Amino acid sequence: MNSPMIHALDVHKRFGAVEVLRGVSLDVGKGEVLAIIGPSGSGKSTFLRCLNHLETIDHGRIDIEGETLVGPHGKMLCRYVADVELRRICRKMGMVFQHFNLFPHLTVLQNIIEAPQTVKGLPRQAVLPKADELLRKVGLLDKRDSYPARLSGGQKQRVAIARALAMEPDIMLFDEPTSALDPELTGEVLRTIRELAEERMTMLVVTHEMAFAREVASRVVFMDGGEIVEARPAKELFAAPEHPRTRAFLENML
């Protein structure tokens, strides 16, 4: 059996006295689209940020494509791999944030080619065809020379997706990619993510869009209080949630 793309085991994370993640364990298979749902403050975004080292964990283990990012060390501690390995492993993952995080002083094209040039050391001429291909993919080739200030929120988020894909990750992480958008702009971003799902891109999507989670996700994880309460195939979870907390949450959301 192939090792999972992501293997998280007994992950704990504190911010001061608050335990935000309380023993989260989760495996994500190749080509799987996993939607993570749950109330605000349940640890969804923190878990996503721990997977690619934007936050450090206090205890537990995270493996990415069979390689250990962080593992147990001593009784209640953990140890990350050396920095060079850490950066290499984290490059297997692309991340898209709520608020786009585009460089305002760079054009759309420059935003996309910046990381392949600076992080991978690729020459500009080598990355331009890929950048144009990605802009065509997200429907924004005509905005190639525009600055972010001239784009709508939905367009900015699609540029952010193209920018993450420019690093050719094996896994995409989306942290509530539509929460900062007006409702009429949400659809164009979700359509882009849906197309990635059809291409069998491995994805974790923290989302409040229940219809999207039900239609696109292969599996849905419900988190509450820093724990995974329920994790099941999307159609099963939405049709008949097993846990009372999941049922109560979905009744409020649907």
Side-chain angles (χ1 to χ4, degrees):
M1 180 181 170
N2 293 333
S3 61
M5 298 291 276
I6 294 173
H7 171 64
L9 182 65
D10 196 28
V11 172
H12 290 256
K13 172 65 181 174
R14 282 183 176 276
F15 290 113
V18 180
E19 194 171 19
V20 182
L21 298 177
R22 304 169 60 179
V24 174
S25 295
L26 184 68
D27 282 359
V28 182
K30 186 175 177 61
E32 189 171 15
V33 179
L34 193 83
I36 305 177
I37 64 172
S40 295
S42 59
K44 307 182 301 295
S45 293
T46 299
F47 176 62
L48 215 62
R49 292 171 66 85
C50 287
L51 292 177
N52 69 350
H53 195 240
L54 290 175
E55 301 286 355
T56 55
I57 68 172
D58 301 316
H59 177 70
R61 179 186 190 97
I62 297 172
D63 296 341
I64 305 298
E65 292 189 73
E67 295 189 277
T68 299
L69 183 75
V70 56
H73 178 70
K75 193 171 180 184
M76 277 302 289
L77 300 170
C78 56
R79 176 184 282 173
Y80 281 85
V81 295
D83 283 353
V84 172
E85 284 294 282
L86 191 72
R87 287 192 293 272
R88 183 183 61 77
I89 294 169
C90 286
R91 280 206 295 270
K92 295 170 181 281
M93 294 171 282
M95 184 144 179
V96 176
F97 302 87
Q98 294 179 42
H99 296 290
F100 329 127
N101 291 4
L102 298 178
F103 297 114
H105 62 290
L106 300 181
T107 65
V108 165
L109 177 67
Q110 289 167 337
N111 264 280
I112 291 172
I113 66 175
E114 173 75 9
Q117 286 184 280
T118 57
V119 178
K120 287 188 169 181
L122 296 173
R124 179 183 170 89
Q125 291 309 312
V127 295
L128 284 176
K130 175 74 174 176
D132 283 346
E133 178 193 328
L134 288 168
L135 284 172
R136 198 172 288 110
K137 183 188 192 76
V138 299
L140 289 172
L141 187 59
D142 61 325
K143 301 293 184 183
R144 163 186 213 268
D145 299 316
S146 300
Y147 286 89
R150 305 299 300 270
L151 304 179
S152 71
Q155 289 170 333
K156 288 176 187 174
Q157 195 60 294
R158 283 185 284 154
V159 172
I161 293 171
R163 180 179 63 177
L165 291 171
M167 289 295 285
E168 300 183 322
D170 296 330
I171 300 162
M172 284 287 284
L173 309 176
F174 293 89
D175 185 11
E176 299 192 23
T178 61
S179 65
L181 302 179
D182 294 331
E184 65 268 22
L185 300 176
T186 294
E188 62 193 48
V189 174
L190 294 180
R191 189 159 51 247
T192 299
I193 300 173
R194 187 178 286 111
E195 287 167 4
L196 290 175
E198 288 168 359
E199 294 169 11
R200 303 284 293 158
M201 168 66 81
T202 305
M203 294 189 284
L204 273 74
V205 187
V206 170
T207 184
H208 288 297
E209 299 287 340
M210 295 301 112
F212 172 80
R214 181 167 45 198
E215 291 165 24
V216 179
S218 38
R219 193 157 49 109
V220 175
V221 168
F222 172 67
M223 289 185 69
D224 194 15
E227 300 173 319
I228 291 178
V229 175
E230 191 167 345
R232 293 168 62 208
K235 288 181 172 57
E236 290 179 18
L237 183 133
F238 281 104
E242 291 178 345
H243 199 285
R245 279 194 279 174
T246 316
R247 279 199 298 275
F249 174 78
L250 290 177
E251 282 167 8
N252 285 331
M253 293 295 290
L254 297 172

